[in-house]
Amino acid sequence: MAKTIAFANLKGGTGKTTICINIAGCLTLINRTSRVLVVDFDPQANATSGLGIDENSLENSIYDVVLNQFQEYQGVPITQAIVETQIENIHLVPSELNLAAASILMQQCKDKVGILNRILTPIKSYYDYILIDVPSDTGLFMLNSLRATDEAVIPIDSSVFSIEALEKFQIYCQDIQEMTGHKINRFTVVLNRYIKSRTGASQSKKSSKNSISEEIEEGVKRMSYPLFKIPESLLVYRSQQEGMPISHISSTNQIVKNYMEIANYLSEVN
């Protein structure tokens, strides 16, 4: 059965989509036979464009798959929405803006938190990993994503609100467990766009100051989460333009090594 991993945070702008796509790429390098499915469960559809798929050319998307859960609407099973990407063994369930309207229908469902889990169950035996790109809100898209996942990767950035958002996310997941009985097995924090302090040769240790990234890093360590760091890199923007994971553009770059470290950790049986 596929290991299902949600990339989520209550705070926006932390690089969830970028990290999701690049972890997908690295997982296919760790094991060339691994089959990875990225589920774009965000109406902004950034994971869709980030993997080189034009949402305007789609026949079906996750929106149509959600509609299929309601008898009065004509949708499609998830197998008809899966598309191949430029990367061998990375498939995608694409998204589109219409998905935002699906939340109105989801509100009417008896088990409205378990919709995505029901959608994914029939294909879990086909894939080794299912990665869910989750929007930054506390609504049904995030609730469904966390209900459907085995573990969560929580990207954070170097801002004063990161630790606060991380604490709130932990409470949010506890609420989901109390409400549904579903427990997320593992949480992994990724500090994105990490900037290390630059201490000049003439500066003493006393006069040097930690960067904001390093201060956030210390805060996360006190919370006892597994923590990985991704440095700022122009290669990220190049990969977004080309619609491919960084690992398949420049495999020797340091940032790829950072991503590979995370992917290796996530591939371990927990």
Side-chain angles (χ1 to χ4, degrees):
M1 297 292 285
K3 176 181 285 191
T4 308
I5 307 171
F7 292 74
N9 193 333
L10 302 180
K11 184 180 182 300
T14 59
K16 293 182 294 297
T17 301
T18 299
I19 292 171
C20 176
I21 290 171
N22 288 314
I23 292 298
C26 288
L27 287 172
T28 64
L29 295 183
I30 292 172
N31 186 337
R32 300 284 180 173
T33 63
S34 288
R35 292 168 296 191
V36 181
L37 177 68
V38 175
V39 179
D40 191 347
F41 208 46
D42 188 338
Q44 294 188 60
N46 290 332
T48 299
S49 59
L51 283 170
I53 305 298
D54 180 5
E55 66 175 283
N56 295 317
S57 66
L58 297 173
E59 289 187 18
N60 299 304
S61 74
I62 189 65
Y63 169 69
D64 301 285
V65 179
V66 172
L67 288 186
N68 198 51
Q69 297 294 303
F70 304 89
Q71 292 182 351
E72 61 270 33
Y73 290 90
Q74 186 176 0
V76 299
I78 191 169
T79 52
Q80 292 186 29
I82 296 172
V83 297
E84 295 182 351
T85 70
Q86 302 175 75
I87 308 302
E88 185 178 6
N89 289 342
I90 296 182
H91 292 173
L92 170 72
V93 180
S95 187
E96 58 177 310
L97 187 58
N98 285 340
L99 178 63
S103 62
I104 300 172
L105 287 177
M106 293 166 70
Q107 288 283 357
Q108 303 169 15
C109 188
K110 184 177 180 180
D111 180 16
K112 57 189 174 184
V113 178
I115 295 171
L116 184 59
N117 188 53
R118 292 195 297 274
I119 287 171
L120 295 178
T121 296
I123 59 168
K124 283 188 175 181
S125 60
Y126 182 79
Y127 290 97
D128 297 288
Y129 301 95
I130 296 177
L131 311 185
I132 308 172
D133 185 36
V134 187
S136 301
D137 61 41
T138 56
L140 282 176
F141 295 130
M142 181 174 285
L143 281 168
N144 270 265
S145 299
L146 296 177
R147 170 62 184 85
T149 198
D150 301 313
E151 55 187 283
V153 171
I154 313 165
I156 63 173
D157 57 6
S158 298
S159 71
V160 294
F161 302 113
S162 290
I163 297 298
E164 180 182 343
L166 193 54
E167 291 171 342
K168 289 181 178 179
F169 185 80
Q170 186 179 32
I171 295 170
Y172 187 78
C173 291
Q174 290 172 351
D175 290 341
I176 293 174
Q177 183 176 348
E178 292 176 5
M179 181 174 59
T180 67
H182 176 71
K183 181 181 179 181
I184 298 174
N185 298 324
R186 179 166 64 178
F187 296 91
T188 304
V189 177
V190 177
L191 179 47
N192 197 26
R193 297 185 286 270
Y194 182 87
I195 300 175
K196 190 175 182 180
S197 61
R198 297 180 180 178
T199 304
S202 61
Q203 287 181 296
S204 67
K205 290 184 179 179
K206 290 184 179 180
S207 64
S208 64
K209 293 183 177 180
N210 288 340
S211 68
I212 295 177
S213 295
E214 289 169 325
E215 291 179 6
I216 298 299
E217 179 183 4
E218 290 303 313
V220 174
K221 286 180 178 178
R222 288 193 291 270
M223 300 175 73
S224 301
Y225 282 115
L227 174 66
F228 296 88
K229 296 171 286 188
I230 298 293
E232 186 78 54
S233 173
L234 290 175
L235 194 59
V236 171
Y237 304 102
R238 180 184 161 194
S239 70
Q240 291 171 344
Q241 289 175 331
E242 296 191 18
M244 295 181 69
I246 294 174
S247 55
H248 290 70
I249 293 178
S250 178
S251 60
T252 59
N253 192 282
Q254 177 58 47
I255 193 172
V256 177
K257 296 177 182 178
N258 295 121
Y259 273 117
M260 287 295 292
E261 183 183 7
I262 303 170
N264 274 301
Y265 175 77
L266 294 175
S267 67
E268 296 172 356
V269 177
N270 58 339

